[in-house]
Amino acid sequence: MPIATVPDYMLDQNAVLRDNVAWRHGSVPDYSMANAAFETEASKRHKPGSMEDMISNLIKNWEKEASYKLKAGEWRTIDHAQYTFSCNGGPVYSCEDMMRLGTYSALIGESAFFSSSSTTFEDSHRTFREAMPGGFAWEAVEVYSGPPVASFKWRHWGRMTGKLRCPVGPSTFVDAPPHGGMVELWGVGLVLNKLICRRPPLKRSQSHIST
């Protein structure tokens, strides 16, 4: 795929931060700490323009849009007519659903240690931002297949230097004190996206993440 035909958000992990749009909290979000953690602690160094590099940039820009853009129509990383998101066989969400719930609640859902129905978009993000104030970095470790269906292994990590306070019910929380150690999540993702296809576009565009 010639680099000239690849969208900027697949070549630059911060591409969408240059968009002139309405941002949550009134300003462009600051990813400097997460970016610094990625530069110093990533497990792999992928060649710019490689499939691993492009998938990594795509997901990072998608997360920025999902977390901080206020208008669904201003997301550039998805096909709005076809987009859906699901995790571990759970509910299938639209772009609008994710803007209402927040990415953490959409990913985690309901469990003994986190209740997405007992928190808000803002509070769910605050839960993890306060637990890992030094940033919660993400990387695509390896791409197994693709395109047009790209399956990949990912890693999400940060240092728990703050208290974790998870909602488990109405006005009920589980607290975990900071331990200063590394918290790592590993998983496998699946992206169907016509923008990473070398063949004709797909009829559907989905994102699936499993842990």
Side-chain angles (χ1 to χ4, degrees), residues 17-139:
L17 297 183
R18 295 188 290 271
D19 294 352
N20 183 20
V21 299
W23 293 103
R24 197 175 297 274
H25 312 306
S27 61
V28 177
D30 182 4
Y31 274 77
S32 59
M33 289 189 292
N35 289 343
F38 172 76
E39 292 299 325
T40 58
E41 299 175 340
S43 65
K44 296 289 183 68
R45 293 294 176 188
H46 301 302
K47 181 181 178 180
S50 66
M51 187 56 63
E52 288 81 4
D53 179 63
M54 290 193 290
I55 290 294
S56 181
N57 292 328
L58 171 63
I59 300 299
K60 289 182 179 183
N61 280 297
W62 164 83
E63 185 277 329
K64 291 174 174 68
E65 293 190 310
S67 297
Y68 290 102
K69 284 189 175 180
L70 288 175
K71 298 179 181 179
E74 292 179 336
W75 289 27
R76 296 198 288 122
T77 55
I78 66 170
D79 181 335
H80 289 266
Q82 303 293 335
Y83 175 82
T84 60
F85 175 92
S86 179
C87 179
N88 292 337
V92 177
Y93 296 118
S94 66
C95 176
E96 290 75 14
D97 291 331
M98 297 194 70
M99 293 188 67
R100 173 176 52 84
L101 292 168
T103 51
Y104 289 110
S105 289
L107 282 163
I108 302 172
E110 298 291 327
S111 74
F113 302 103
F114 188 93
S115 172
S116 61
S117 62
S118 300
T119 189
T120 65
F121 183 111
E122 296 293 345
D123 287 344
S124 65
H125 280 251
R126 187 178 300 112
T127 293
F128 295 95
R129 188 167 57 244
E130 291 181 349
M132 290 172 281
F136 201 11
W138 190 94
E139 65 174 330

Side-chain angles (χ1 to χ4, degrees), residues 156-169:
H156 204 6
W157 76 96
R159 297 186 183 278
M160 189 175 163
T161 57
K163 182 177 73 172
L164 180 65
R165 184 173 174 80
C166 287
V168 294

